Amino acid sequence: MPKKEVLLEINHLKAYFPVKRKSMKEEKKVVKAVDDISLEIYRGETLGIVGESGSGKSTFGRTILKLVEPTEGEILYKGQQIQHLKGSNLQKYRNQMQMIFQDPFASLNPRMRIGAIIEEPMALQLTLTKEQRKKRVKELLQKVGLAEDAMHKYLHEFSGGQRQRIGIARALAINPEFIIADEPVSALDVSVQSQVLNLLMDLQDEFQLTYLFISHDLSVVKHISDRVAVLYLGRIVEIGTKKELYANPLHPYTQALLSAIPVVNFDEPKQAIPLQGELPSPMNPPVGCVFHTRCPFVMGKCHQVRPTMQEMNEHQRVACFLYDK
Amino acid sequence: MKNVQKFAKHTNLIIGLLIVVGFFSVMIVSFFYTPFDVNVMNIPEKLRGPSSVYFFGTDEFGRDIFSRIMKGTQTAFAVGILTVVIGVTFGILIGAIAGYVGGWIDEICMRFMDALMAFPGIILALMLVAIFGPGIVNTAIALGIIAIPGIARITRSGFVQHRDAEYVLAAKLIGVNPFKIMFRHILPNISSQIIVAATVTFATAMLAEAALSYLGLGVQPPNPSWGRMLKDSQAYLMSAPWYIYAPGGAITLLVLGLYMLSNAFRDFMDPRSKS
C-alpha cells in the first residue's frame, strides 16, 4: 500500500466543559468530553469512530470543525494549524469540510424550501450566478437520488431518508474535501440505512471525499470504514484498520463491544463478554485507565497509571497494559 | 367528545375573527361616516335613552353614544396596534440577543426585564404617562414598554431552545452571519409563539388603555375613548343606566374576541395540540 497523504492530524486534543457549581464552596468541576485524543486521517479514507453514548464522539467531531472550542491540543489540516483560526480564516478552513448531522428532522430548517437550503452555502461561499446555483442544486439533488422538483418543496413532504439525502446535498454544495458524518444513519430505518450508506460511499468515490464517520453501530462502521477508532470516556482505547480491528481486537473494551454484535450463525455460538456496571461519569473519570472499573482483566497498575497508546503492529495501536513488553 | 373539541377549536376562531373583524370594519367606517358628529354638543337632547334615532342613547352633553363608540374603535385599535408594534419589536430584539448570545448579556437583559416586570403594569404606565403627558401616542408608548418583558421572555426561551439546534450549527458552518441566523433561521421557527403573545398583548393593551382613560390619564377629551366614556357614565348610573352598557359592552366584546382569537392561534400553531 503506498504511503498515504495525511489530510488531518490531531494531537492531544482536549475539550473540557465547566460544570455549573451549586455553591461557591463546591470545587470547580469539568466534564472531560474529549480527553487527549491524537489521531490522523488520510486523504480519501473513511475513519470510523465508535463509542457508546456519552463517550465524546460527537463532541470530538464538532471540535474538529471548531463548533466546540478545543481546550488544548492541535488540529492540523494539510499541515496547517487551525485551532487558533477565527473569522474569515476559520471560514476558509470550514469551507473545505462539512458536516452531516444525526437527526435529519433537526438539522434542516423546516421553514425553508429545499432549494433554498441547498443553495444557501453556495450563495455565501461560492461566486456563482443565480442560474448557475439553480443548476447546481438540480445536479446535487440528482446526485443524492432525489427528483429535481424537490427544490420547490418544504421539508415536511419528505421522509427521514430523503431528508438525510437533502442534508448530504447541502454538505456537498460547496465542494468540501472532508466530511464529518455524525451518526448520519442512526435516526433512520434499517432498510433506509444501507441506501444512505451506499450513497455516501458512491459519493466518496465520485468526489474523492474523506470521511470521519461517527457511529455507535459497529456493523455500520464496519461497512463503511477503512480504519476504526474506539472511543471510551473521551479517550481512544484502540485504533486500527478495519480488517485487523474486527478480526483481532486487542483492547478488552473492543473485545467486549465486538462480542456484542448479534450474528446469525448457529454452528459457532459466540461467547459474549458481559461488561459490568455503567459508563462512569466524564465529570469524574476513573484514575488510571478509564476502563478499569469494568475491565475483566484489570490489574493493580490499571488503578494508578494511565496507559499510553502503543503500536502493536503496522495497522493497530492500543492503550492497554496487557500488551506491555 | 372529539367532535366537541374540534368544534370548540373552530368556534374560538370563527367567533373571535367575527368580533375582531367586525370592530375593525366599524373603525374603517368611522373614518368616513358616523350617524352624528361625535364632538358636537346638543344639550336639549342630553341623556336620552336608546331609541331609533340614538341607538345607544345620548350622553350628558347630548352627543350620540353610538357614534362615539364607533369613533372610539379608532382609539382602541390605534393604542392596541402601536403597543404591539413597540412591544414586539423591542421584545424580539432583546429576547433574541439575550437568548442567542447568552452569558452575561443574557443575565443583564433578563434581570432588566425582571425589574420591569416587577412593577405592577398599571402603576408603571401611570408613571410613564405622568412623565410624558397623556395622549394616545404616549399611552401606547407606556403600554408598549410594559409589554416588552413578556415578549422578550417568550422570544428568549425560543432562542435558547433553538440556538444549539443542528440546523443552526449547519448554518454556522457555512458561514451565515449571526444576525441572519437569528432573524432568518431561528425567528421564523418560533414566530407562532410570538404571534400568540402579540394577540394577548393587543387585548391587554386595550384593557389598559381603557383603565388609564378611566383614570383620566389616557386619551384626552373630547377624543372619544371607551374607558373615558365608562368613567363619565358612572355619574349617571342611577339616572341613565343604559349609558354604561355601550362602552362597557364594547370593551368586553372586543377583548373577548381577541382572547378567543389568540386561543385559536395557539391551538392551530402548537404542534403538540394536533393529534
Side-chain angles (χ1 to χ4, degrees):
Chain A
M1 205 158 49
K3 190 78 185 150
K4 282 174 169 178
E5 183 196 345
V6 175
L7 187 68
L8 186 78
E9 190 182 338
I10 287 151
N11 292 323
H12 305 290
L13 190 70
K14 294 177 184 176
Y16 293 174
F17 299 98
V19 181
K20 235 187 182 167
R21 287 179 293 177
K22 286 196 191 87
S23 75
M24 300 290 273
K25 272 188 244 163
E26 237 175 295
E27 61 176 325
K28 275 188 184 169
K29 281 184 184 160
V30 289
V31 170
K32 299 178 175 179
V34 175
D35 195 9
D36 203 357
I37 287 185
S38 302
L39 51 77
E40 59 293 315
I41 298 166
Y42 301 104
R43 184 184 283 280
E45 76 164 351
T46 301
L47 175 67
I49 302 270
V50 282
E52 40 193 310
S53 47
S55 62
K57 49 194 195 306
S58 285
T59 313
F60 175 59
R62 285 174 188 195
T63 316
I64 294 174
L65 283 169
K66 294 228 334 154
L67 285 172
V68 170
E69 230 12 75
T71 313
E72 234 179 82
E74 290 181 320
I75 306 167
L76 294 147
Y77 186 73
K78 292 180 180 165
Q80 272 191 311
Q81 298 228 356
I82 62 99
Q83 71 269 24
H84 300 303
L85 293 185
K86 285 220 158 60
S88 62
N89 286 331
L90 175 62
Q91 191 55 47
K92 264 183 221 150
Y93 158 71
R94 278 180 177 169
N95 284 352
Q96 302 176 50
M97 357 180 101
Q98 275 300 311
M99 192 153 180
I100 298 168
F101 293 92
Q102 171 174 12
D103 183 355
F105 291 82
S107 63
L108 304 165
N109 191 337
R111 297 292 169 119
M112 286 167 81
R113 282 176 204 277
I114 307 309
I117 289 177
I118 301 174
E119 196 186 331
E120 193 177 31
M122 298 182 217
L124 285 163
Q125 303 303 342
L126 302 179
T127 46
L128 294 176
T129 63
K130 196 140 183 116
E131 281 74 48
Q132 286 173 312
R133 293 203 299 258
K134 282 266 163 345
K135 208 175 134 230
R136 193 165 154 69
V137 169
K138 283 180 190 164
E139 280 170 19
L140 283 166
L141 282 171
Q142 232 170 19
K143 285 258 186 314
V144 298
L146 292 171
E148 276 181 16
D149 64 346
M151 61 191 289
H152 304 296
K153 293 183 182 165
Y154 282 101
L155 262 189
H156 61 85
E157 298 172 57
F158 295 92
S159 69
Q162 289 172 317
R163 288 177 195 216
Q164 201 55 293
R165 287 166 192 270
I166 295 164
I168 293 169
R170 173 179 63 185
L172 292 174
I174 51 173
N175 294 312
E177 295 182 308
F178 179 56
I179 287 185
I180 294 176
D182 186 2
E183 305 239 20
V185 297
S186 10
L188 306 178
D189 274 0
V190 180
S191 56
V192 186
Q193 281 191 358
S194 54
Q195 290 173 17
V196 172
L197 284 179
N198 290 334
L199 171 67
L200 283 172
M201 291 165 86
D202 291 344
L203 292 169
Q204 181 170 36
D205 290 340
E206 193 174 345
F207 299 108
Q208 282 91 48
L209 297 168
T210 307
Y211 286 146
L212 180 76
F213 192 93
I214 299 166
S215 179
H216 64 264
D217 189 331
L218 288 153
S219 327
V220 166
V221 168
K222 190 177 181 183
H223 184 65
I224 198 168
S225 307
D226 300 309
R227 290 192 307 137
V228 177
V230 181
L231 239 64
Y232 186 79
L233 269 185
R235 303 212 185 129
I236 294 184
V237 295
E238 184 168 1
I239 182 168
T241 57
K242 170 174 75 179
K243 242 170 100 188
E244 288 295 324
L245 193 127
Y246 276 79
N248 181 25
L250 294 174
H251 198 279
Y253 181 60
T254 320
Q255 289 168 356
L257 277 186
L258 290 179
S259 75
I261 305 178
V263 186
V264 187
N265 184 355
F266 295 109
D267 302 330
E268 262 184 78
K270 274 204 328 186
Q271 273 299 306
I273 305 168
L275 277 186
Q276 303 291 321
E278 298 268 323
L279 188 74
S281 156
M283 211 151 74
N284 188 16
V287 184
C289 176
V290 278
F291 189 55
H292 82 243
T293 52
R294 300 166 81 188
C295 183
F297 308 110
V298 64
M299 302 180 284
K301 202 175 174 185
C302 303
H303 294 278
Q304 282 119 35
V305 194
R306 180 188 293 186
T308 49
M309 291 295 270
Q310 47 184 329
E311 207 130 329
M312 294 306 294
N313 54 51
E314 218 187 320
H315 308 296
Q316 227 168 340
R317 276 181 287 159
V318 67
C320 183
F321 291 123
L322 284 176
Y323 304 97
D324 265 356
K325 284 154 201 162
Chain B
M1 197 60 210
K2 215 168 187 183
N3 280 335
V4 175
Q5 280 174 347
K6 225 176 184 177
F7 181 72
K9 242 184 217 175
H10 287 287
T11 41
N12 265 346
L13 182 74
I14 293 165
I15 298 179
L17 214 57
L18 270 178
I19 294 173
V20 175
V21 170
F23 272 103
F24 193 80
S25 323
V26 169
M27 181 195 75
I28 299 291
V29 170
S30 74
F31 277 109
F32 308 106
Y33 169 78
T34 49
F36 291 85
D37 191 313
V38 292
N39 288 334
V40 172
M41 298 187 214
N42 188 2
I43 303 296
E45 294 285 312
K46 71 173 187 174
L47 295 173
R48 292 286 164 97
S51 66
S52 58
V53 184
Y54 308 109
F55 299 131
F56 295 156
T58 59
D59 66 7
E60 70 272 30
F61 300 114
R63 298 175 296 193
D64 179 35
I65 293 177
F66 182 71
S67 302
R68 288 182 66 78
I69 292 284
M70 276 179 80
K71 206 79 181 171
T73 51
Q74 290 178 16
T75 313
F77 274 98
V79 171
I81 290 170
L82 206 56
T83 303
V84 168
V85 167
I86 294 171
V88 167
T89 310
F90 289 97
I92 286 180
L93 218 59
I94 294 171
I97 291 168
Y100 187 73
V101 179
W104 60 269
I105 292 180
D106 180 21
E107 284 296 320
I108 289 176
C109 286
M110 290 333 281
R111 290 302 80 78
F112 185 66
M113 290 296 109
D114 286 347
L116 209 53
M117 245 178 176
F119 278 106
I122 204 80
I123 306 257
L124 192 62
L126 277 177
M127 185 188 83
L128 291 169
V129 170
I131 295 169
F132 298 124
I136 294 185
V137 176
N138 287 346
T139 307
I141 291 174
L143 296 176
I145 291 173
I146 294 164
I148 291 172
I151 306 275
R153 278 197 168 185
I154 288 163
T155 313
R156 177 187 170 271
S157 73
F159 270 79
V160 167
Q161 211 177 12
H162 282 257
R163 75 171 164 214
D164 293 322
E166 289 187 338
Y167 74 89
V168 175
L169 283 185
K172 274 187 198 166
L173 265 187
I174 56 170
V176 182
N177 72 49
F179 194 77
K180 244 182 154 178
I181 291 182
M182 282 160 69
F183 295 107
R184 292 277 291 280
H185 285 256
I186 300 180
L187 192 59
N189 279 303
I190 55 172
S191 57
S192 58
Q193 287 137 285
I194 297 173
I195 288 172
V196 172
T199 325
V200 177
T201 304
F202 201 115
T204 323
M206 235 166 240
L207 269 180
E209 181 271 319
L212 279 178
S213 298
Y214 180 85
L215 293 172
L217 283 162
V219 181
Q220 292 305 293
N223 286 328
S225 145
W226 296 345
R228 182 89 202 176
M229 290 167 78
L230 209 57
K231 171 195 162 80
D232 294 340
S233 70
Q234 223 177 2
Y236 307 97
L237 207 50
M238 303 307 278
S239 54
W242 59 83
Y243 187 174
I244 203 164
Y245 289 133
I251 293 169
T252 312
L253 202 60
L254 184 48
V255 170
L256 179 73
L258 283 165
Y259 274 135
M260 288 176 102
L261 209 55
S262 84
N263 266 338
F265 282 156
R266 194 197 328 268
D267 290 344
F268 280 114
M269 291 182 201
D270 187 355
R272 275 166 302 185
S273 72
K274 282 177 197 152
S275 44

